[in-house]
Short mmCIF file of all heavy atoms in Angstrom, two decimals:
data_model
loop_
_atom_site.label_atom_id
_atom_site.label_comp_id
_atom_site.label_asym_id
_atom_site.label_seq_id
_atom_site.Cartn_x
_atom_site.Cartn_y
_atom_site.Cartn_z
N LEU A 341 90.02 72.16 91.97
CA LEU A 341 89.68 72.25 93.40
C LEU A 341 90.58 71.38 94.21
O LEU A 341 90.45 71.29 95.44
CB LEU A 341 88.21 71.79 93.55
CG LEU A 341 87.23 72.57 92.79
CD1 LEU A 341 85.78 72.12 93.13
CD2 LEU A 341 87.28 74.12 93.05
N THR A 342 91.46 70.64 93.58
CA THR A 342 92.33 69.72 94.35
C THR A 342 93.31 70.53 95.25
O THR A 342 93.85 71.61 94.92
CB THR A 342 93.27 68.93 93.33
OG1 THR A 342 92.43 68.16 92.45
CG2 THR A 342 94.26 68.07 94.11
N VAL A 343 93.49 69.93 96.40
CA VAL A 343 94.44 70.46 97.43
C VAL A 343 95.65 69.62 97.44
O VAL A 343 95.53 68.41 97.56
CB VAL A 343 93.82 70.59 98.83
CG1 VAL A 343 94.86 71.04 99.87
CG2 VAL A 343 92.63 71.46 98.90
N ARG A 344 96.79 70.20 97.27
CA ARG A 344 98.07 69.44 97.47
C ARG A 344 98.50 69.46 98.81
O ARG A 344 99.01 70.55 99.32
CB ARG A 344 99.17 70.10 96.50
CG ARG A 344 98.76 70.05 95.03
CD ARG A 344 99.80 70.74 94.13
NE ARG A 344 99.74 72.21 94.24
CZ ARG A 344 98.89 73.00 93.56
NH1 ARG A 344 97.98 72.47 92.71
NH2 ARG A 344 98.89 74.29 93.74
N PRO A 345 98.46 68.35 99.51
CA PRO A 345 98.62 68.34 100.95
C PRO A 345 100.18 68.57 101.31
O PRO A 345 101.05 68.15 100.59
CB PRO A 345 98.30 66.94 101.40
CG PRO A 345 98.38 66.09 100.14
CD PRO A 345 98.04 67.05 98.98
N PRO A 346 100.37 69.34 102.37
CA PRO A 346 101.79 69.60 102.77
C PRO A 346 102.36 68.34 103.43
O PRO A 346 101.61 67.58 104.00
CB PRO A 346 101.61 70.69 103.84
CG PRO A 346 100.21 70.55 104.32
CD PRO A 346 99.39 70.01 103.18
N LEU A 347 103.63 68.15 103.23
CA LEU A 347 104.26 66.90 103.67
C LEU A 347 105.17 67.17 104.94
O LEU A 347 105.32 66.20 105.65
CB LEU A 347 105.13 66.36 102.52
CG LEU A 347 104.34 65.98 101.23
CD1 LEU A 347 105.22 65.40 100.15
CD2 LEU A 347 103.19 64.90 101.53
N GLN A 348 105.75 68.29 105.01
CA GLN A 348 106.65 68.55 106.12
C GLN A 348 105.88 69.27 107.27
O GLN A 348 104.89 69.86 107.07
CB GLN A 348 107.81 69.48 105.60
CG GLN A 348 108.67 68.82 104.50
CD GLN A 348 109.73 69.82 104.07
OE1 GLN A 348 109.79 70.98 104.38
NE2 GLN A 348 110.69 69.32 103.32
N ARG A 349 106.42 69.08 108.49
CA ARG A 349 105.80 69.68 109.64
C ARG A 349 105.61 71.22 109.52
O ARG A 349 104.60 71.72 109.78
CB ARG A 349 106.55 69.36 110.89
CG ARG A 349 105.80 69.82 112.13
CD ARG A 349 106.55 69.48 113.43
NE ARG A 349 107.72 70.29 113.52
CZ ARG A 349 108.56 70.22 114.61
NH1 ARG A 349 108.30 69.50 115.64
NH2 ARG A 349 109.59 71.10 114.65
N ARG A 350 106.69 71.84 109.02
CA ARG A 350 106.54 73.25 108.90
C ARG A 350 105.53 73.72 108.00
O ARG A 350 104.68 74.63 108.21
CB ARG A 350 107.96 73.83 108.50
CG ARG A 350 107.99 75.33 108.24
CD ARG A 350 109.38 75.84 107.81
NE ARG A 350 109.81 75.09 106.61
CZ ARG A 350 109.49 75.53 105.47
NH1 ARG A 350 108.71 76.60 105.24
NH2 ARG A 350 109.90 74.87 104.32
N THR A 351 105.35 73.08 106.80
CA THR A 351 104.40 73.46 105.84
C THR A 351 102.99 72.98 106.32
O THR A 351 102.04 73.67 105.97
CB THR A 351 104.68 72.84 104.46
OG1 THR A 351 104.91 71.45 104.56
CG2 THR A 351 105.94 73.44 103.85
N ARG A 352 102.96 71.88 107.07
CA ARG A 352 101.60 71.52 107.62
C ARG A 352 101.16 72.58 108.61
O ARG A 352 99.97 72.90 108.69
CB ARG A 352 101.71 70.14 108.28
CG ARG A 352 101.83 68.97 107.33
CD ARG A 352 101.50 67.66 108.06
NE ARG A 352 102.32 67.36 109.14
CZ ARG A 352 103.51 66.68 109.05
NH1 ARG A 352 103.93 66.26 107.87
NH2 ARG A 352 104.31 66.53 110.11
N GLU A 353 102.04 73.09 109.48
CA GLU A 353 101.67 74.13 110.37
C GLU A 353 101.20 75.40 109.71
O GLU A 353 100.24 76.02 110.09
CB GLU A 353 102.90 74.38 111.24
CG GLU A 353 103.19 73.23 112.30
CD GLU A 353 104.47 73.50 113.10
OE1 GLU A 353 105.19 74.39 112.78
OE2 GLU A 353 104.70 72.75 114.01
N ALA A 354 101.93 75.77 108.64
CA ALA A 354 101.54 76.95 107.88
C ALA A 354 100.17 76.75 107.23
O ALA A 354 99.39 77.74 107.20
CB ALA A 354 102.59 77.25 106.85
N TRP A 355 99.90 75.55 106.64
CA TRP A 355 98.63 75.30 106.05
C TRP A 355 97.48 75.29 107.14
O TRP A 355 96.39 75.84 106.87
CB TRP A 355 98.69 74.01 105.31
CG TRP A 355 97.41 73.65 104.61
CD1 TRP A 355 96.63 72.44 104.75
CD2 TRP A 355 96.78 74.34 103.53
NE1 TRP A 355 95.61 72.42 103.95
CE2 TRP A 355 95.61 73.58 103.20
CE3 TRP A 355 97.04 75.56 102.92
CZ2 TRP A 355 94.81 74.02 102.14
CZ3 TRP A 355 96.17 75.97 101.95
CH2 TRP A 355 95.09 75.23 101.57
N ASN A 356 97.76 74.82 108.29
CA ASN A 356 96.73 74.82 109.31
C ASN A 356 96.44 76.26 109.73
O ASN A 356 95.29 76.53 110.05
CB ASN A 356 97.23 73.99 110.57
CG ASN A 356 97.08 72.47 110.31
OD1 ASN A 356 96.22 72.04 109.56
ND2 ASN A 356 97.83 71.76 110.98
N ARG A 357 97.42 77.11 109.74
CA ARG A 357 97.22 78.55 110.05
C ARG A 357 96.32 79.20 108.95
O ARG A 357 95.44 79.99 109.23
CB ARG A 357 98.50 79.34 110.17
CG ARG A 357 99.32 78.96 111.39
CD ARG A 357 100.32 79.99 111.75
NE ARG A 357 101.20 80.43 110.68
CZ ARG A 357 102.27 79.86 110.30
NH1 ARG A 357 102.74 78.80 111.10
NH2 ARG A 357 103.04 80.28 109.35
N VAL A 358 96.58 78.75 107.75
CA VAL A 358 95.76 79.23 106.58
C VAL A 358 94.32 78.85 106.73
O VAL A 358 93.34 79.60 106.61
CB VAL A 358 96.34 78.71 105.25
CG1 VAL A 358 95.37 78.87 104.09
CG2 VAL A 358 97.66 79.35 104.92
N LEU A 359 94.08 77.58 107.10
CA LEU A 359 92.73 77.01 107.23
C LEU A 359 91.99 77.75 108.44
O LEU A 359 90.82 78.14 108.38
CB LEU A 359 92.71 75.57 107.50
CG LEU A 359 93.26 74.68 106.30
CD1 LEU A 359 93.31 73.18 106.66
CD2 LEU A 359 92.40 74.93 105.05
N ASP A 360 92.77 77.87 109.55
CA ASP A 360 92.10 78.54 110.72
C ASP A 360 91.79 80.06 110.37
O ASP A 360 90.76 80.59 110.74
CB ASP A 360 93.09 78.49 111.89
CG ASP A 360 93.15 77.18 112.51
OD1 ASP A 360 92.22 76.34 112.29
OD2 ASP A 360 94.16 76.90 113.31
N ALA A 361 92.70 80.70 109.63
CA ALA A 361 92.53 82.06 109.25
C ALA A 361 91.31 82.23 108.33
O ALA A 361 90.49 83.14 108.49
CB ALA A 361 93.76 82.66 108.61
N GLY A 362 91.25 81.29 107.38
CA GLY A 362 90.13 81.31 106.41
C GLY A 362 88.75 81.01 107.17
O GLY A 362 87.76 81.77 106.86
N LEU A 363 88.73 80.21 108.17
CA LEU A 363 87.58 79.89 108.88
C LEU A 363 87.15 81.11 109.72
O LEU A 363 85.94 81.45 109.76
CB LEU A 363 87.86 78.62 109.74
CG LEU A 363 86.67 78.13 110.53
CD1 LEU A 363 85.39 77.74 109.61
CD2 LEU A 363 87.02 76.91 111.41
N ALA A 364 88.10 81.82 110.31
CA ALA A 364 87.81 82.91 111.14
C ALA A 364 87.14 84.05 110.26
O ALA A 364 86.22 84.69 110.59
CB ALA A 364 89.07 83.44 111.83
N LEU A 365 87.79 84.28 109.10
CA LEU A 365 87.25 85.37 108.17
C LEU A 365 85.86 85.03 107.76
O LEU A 365 84.96 85.88 107.73
CB LEU A 365 88.17 85.45 106.98
CG LEU A 365 89.50 86.08 107.21
CD1 LEU A 365 90.41 85.92 106.04
CD2 LEU A 365 89.27 87.56 107.47
N LEU A 366 85.61 83.68 107.43
CA LEU A 366 84.26 83.22 107.02
C LEU A 366 83.23 83.38 108.09
O LEU A 366 82.16 83.90 107.83
CB LEU A 366 84.32 81.73 106.65
CG LEU A 366 83.19 81.21 105.82
CD1 LEU A 366 82.93 81.89 104.51
CD2 LEU A 366 83.44 79.70 105.54
N GLU A 367 83.67 83.15 109.31
CA GLU A 367 82.68 83.31 110.45
C GLU A 367 82.44 84.77 110.76
O GLU A 367 81.33 85.11 111.11
CB GLU A 367 83.30 82.62 111.66
CG GLU A 367 83.29 81.03 111.60
CD GLU A 367 83.92 80.40 112.77
OE1 GLU A 367 84.72 81.04 113.57
OE2 GLU A 367 83.74 79.19 112.96
N GLU A 368 83.48 85.59 110.59
CA GLU A 368 83.25 87.01 110.92
C GLU A 368 82.61 87.87 109.88
O GLU A 368 81.84 88.77 110.15
CB GLU A 368 84.63 87.61 111.25
CG GLU A 368 85.32 86.99 112.49
CD GLU A 368 86.74 87.39 112.65
OE1 GLU A 368 87.23 88.21 111.81
OE2 GLU A 368 87.46 86.93 113.51
N GLY A 369 82.85 87.54 108.61
CA GLY A 369 82.39 88.40 107.57
C GLY A 369 81.70 87.73 106.39
O GLY A 369 81.31 88.42 105.42
N GLY A 370 81.55 86.42 106.43
CA GLY A 370 80.94 85.69 105.39
C GLY A 370 81.81 85.55 104.17
O GLY A 370 82.99 85.92 104.17
N TYR A 371 81.29 85.21 103.03
CA TYR A 371 82.10 84.91 101.85
C TYR A 371 82.65 86.15 101.32
O TYR A 371 83.75 86.17 100.71
CB TYR A 371 81.16 84.19 100.79
CG TYR A 371 81.97 83.77 99.57
CD1 TYR A 371 82.77 82.63 99.68
CD2 TYR A 371 81.81 84.45 98.31
CE1 TYR A 371 83.47 82.22 98.52
CE2 TYR A 371 82.52 84.05 97.22
CZ TYR A 371 83.34 82.92 97.35
OH TYR A 371 84.04 82.46 96.23
N GLU A 372 81.98 87.28 101.51
CA GLU A 372 82.52 88.63 101.04
C GLU A 372 83.89 88.86 101.65
O GLU A 372 84.68 89.57 100.97
CB GLU A 372 81.53 89.73 101.33
CG GLU A 372 80.18 89.56 100.57
CD GLU A 372 79.25 88.51 101.20
OE1 GLU A 372 79.53 88.04 102.26
OE2 GLU A 372 78.26 88.19 100.54
N ALA A 373 84.06 88.47 102.88
CA ALA A 373 85.34 88.81 103.61
C ALA A 373 86.41 87.85 103.19
O ALA A 373 87.63 87.99 103.63
CB ALA A 373 85.09 88.81 105.07
N PHE A 374 86.11 86.76 102.43
CA PHE A 374 86.99 85.74 102.15
C PHE A 374 87.73 86.04 100.90
O PHE A 374 87.25 85.78 99.76
CB PHE A 374 86.26 84.39 102.13
CG PHE A 374 87.15 83.13 102.02
CD1 PHE A 374 87.48 82.52 103.23
CD2 PHE A 374 87.66 82.65 100.81
CE1 PHE A 374 88.37 81.35 103.10
CE2 PHE A 374 88.40 81.62 100.69
CZ PHE A 374 88.79 80.91 101.89
N THR A 375 88.96 86.48 101.05
CA THR A 375 89.91 86.67 99.89
C THR A 375 91.22 85.98 100.21
O THR A 375 91.60 85.87 101.38
CB THR A 375 90.09 88.11 99.52
OG1 THR A 375 90.77 88.74 100.62
CG2 THR A 375 88.76 88.80 99.32
N ILE A 376 92.04 85.65 99.16
CA ILE A 376 93.36 85.08 99.46
C ILE A 376 94.25 86.09 100.14
O ILE A 376 94.95 85.71 101.12
CB ILE A 376 93.89 84.61 98.11
CG1 ILE A 376 93.21 83.38 97.62
CG2 ILE A 376 95.41 84.28 98.36
CD1 ILE A 376 93.77 82.74 96.31
N ALA A 377 94.12 87.37 99.80
CA ALA A 377 94.92 88.36 100.44
C ALA A 377 94.60 88.43 101.96
O ALA A 377 95.49 88.57 102.80
CB ALA A 377 94.77 89.77 99.74
N ALA A 378 93.36 88.51 102.18
CA ALA A 378 92.80 88.54 103.67
C ALA A 378 93.25 87.29 104.44
O ALA A 378 93.65 87.45 105.62
CB ALA A 378 91.38 88.76 103.67
N VAL A 379 93.14 86.16 103.81
CA VAL A 379 93.55 84.95 104.47
C VAL A 379 95.09 84.92 104.79
O VAL A 379 95.53 84.63 105.91
CB VAL A 379 93.19 83.67 103.67
CG1 VAL A 379 93.85 82.41 104.30
CG2 VAL A 379 91.76 83.52 103.55
N CYS A 380 95.87 85.38 103.80
CA CYS A 380 97.35 85.41 103.97
C CYS A 380 97.75 86.41 105.10
O CYS A 380 98.54 86.12 105.91
CB CYS A 380 98.05 85.81 102.66
SG CYS A 380 97.94 84.44 101.43
N ASP A 381 97.08 87.58 105.14
CA ASP A 381 97.31 88.59 106.07
C ASP A 381 96.96 88.01 107.45
O ASP A 381 97.74 88.21 108.46
CB ASP A 381 96.49 89.83 105.78
CG ASP A 381 96.84 90.94 106.73
OD1 ASP A 381 97.98 91.42 106.74
OD2 ASP A 381 95.97 91.40 107.45
N ARG A 382 95.82 87.34 107.54
CA ARG A 382 95.32 86.88 108.90
C ARG A 382 96.25 85.72 109.37
O ARG A 382 96.55 85.65 110.62
CB ARG A 382 93.96 86.29 108.70
CG ARG A 382 93.21 85.84 109.97
CD ARG A 382 92.85 87.07 110.86
NE ARG A 382 91.99 86.71 111.95
CZ ARG A 382 90.70 86.98 112.05
NH1 ARG A 382 90.13 87.65 111.09
NH2 ARG A 382 89.98 86.55 113.09
N ALA A 383 96.74 84.92 108.44
CA ALA A 383 97.58 83.73 108.83
C ALA A 383 99.06 84.14 108.99
O ALA A 383 99.87 83.35 109.52
CB ALA A 383 97.43 82.68 107.81
N GLY A 384 99.41 85.33 108.53
CA GLY A 384 100.81 85.85 108.58
C GLY A 384 101.77 84.98 107.67
O GLY A 384 102.86 84.72 108.01
N ILE A 385 101.27 84.60 106.50
CA ILE A 385 102.03 83.89 105.51
C ILE A 385 102.00 84.60 104.13
O ILE A 385 101.17 85.43 103.85
CB ILE A 385 101.60 82.46 105.41
CG1 ILE A 385 100.15 82.39 105.08
CG2 ILE A 385 101.76 81.71 106.74
CD1 ILE A 385 99.87 82.16 103.61
N ALA A 386 102.92 84.27 103.25
CA ALA A 386 103.03 84.85 101.98
C ALA A 386 102.01 84.12 101.04
O ALA A 386 101.77 82.93 101.25
CB ALA A 386 104.40 84.76 101.36
N PRO A 387 101.47 84.73 100.02
CA PRO A 387 100.56 84.07 99.15
C PRO A 387 101.11 82.83 98.49
O PRO A 387 100.42 81.94 98.18
CB PRO A 387 100.29 85.19 98.02
CG PRO A 387 100.52 86.47 98.79
CD PRO A 387 101.65 86.25 99.70
N ARG A 388 102.45 82.83 98.36
CA ARG A 388 103.02 81.61 97.70
C ARG A 388 102.68 80.33 98.55
O ARG A 388 102.55 79.24 97.98
CB ARG A 388 104.55 81.82 97.61
CG ARG A 388 105.27 80.53 97.08
CD ARG A 388 104.73 80.19 95.69
NE ARG A 388 105.40 78.98 95.17
CZ ARG A 388 106.57 79.02 94.46
NH1 ARG A 388 107.23 80.12 94.29
NH2 ARG A 388 107.13 77.91 94.08
#
């Protein structure tokens, strides 16, 4: 469950988009809507 924190500004910004996207999905559709693919699509980032 450990999170490896981003160190650079660019990666911090990308991670914040991930967190915001995940929160939006959770609020809109609950846990059922929360998938890594959906989060990546919402945040506009690659799964990597």
